[in-house]
Amino acid sequence: MSRVCELTGKGPMVGNNVSHAKNRTKRRFLPNLQDVTLLSDALGRSFKLKISSSALRSVDHRGGLDAFLAKAKDDELSDKALKIKKDIAKAATAA
């Protein structure tokens, strides 16, 4: 199971646990991923995605999934999100 956000590409980071005695041990900082269902206005259907909570706030701030994907970079998106973006672009040109 991949721990990567499907919309922003945010993944695990590596750092150190630091004790009071300054002993350092490796640890992982995992993104806060949530399984959410987002509605596309252009396509009129919903999509289940695994995204970080910060990406969910960004989607809400930009005005929905369609507006977020329109501005998103293709290299950050997962294959599933990239397909949704292309379907939305086709629906927008057809309308």
Side-chain angles (χ1 to χ4, degrees):
M1 179 174 79
S2 177
R3 291 189 173 99
V4 176
C5 176
E6 293 189 70
L7 295 182
T8 60
K10 184 182 286 192
M13 293 173 46
V14 181
N16 289 309
N17 279 331
V18 181
S19 70
H20 184 69
K22 301 286 196 244
N23 298 327
R24 288 168 170 82
T25 56
K26 284 288 188 186
R27 64 160 291 182
R28 293 177 72 194
F29 293 95
L30 299 177
N32 186 11
L33 295 180
Q34 308 294 327
D35 290 318
V36 296
T37 303
L38 297 174
L39 181 69
S40 170
D41 296 328
L43 300 176
R45 58 177 290 229
S46 58
F47 298 96
K48 290 189 76 162
L49 297 169
K50 184 178 248 182
I51 64 173
S52 63
S53 57
S54 62
L56 185 59
R57 285 193 301 271
S58 298
V59 168
D60 195 32
H61 178 75
R62 288 194 185 162
L65 181 64
D66 299 347
F68 180 87
L69 289 175
K71 286 190 170 185
K73 296 178 183 174
D74 290 349
D75 58 331
E76 292 178 349
L77 297 174
S78 68
D79 295 336
K80 185 177 180 181
L82 198 56
K83 184 180 180 326
I84 296 169
K85 180 179 180 176
K86 290 180 180 177
D87 290 345
I88 290 171
K90 281 183 192 175
T93 57

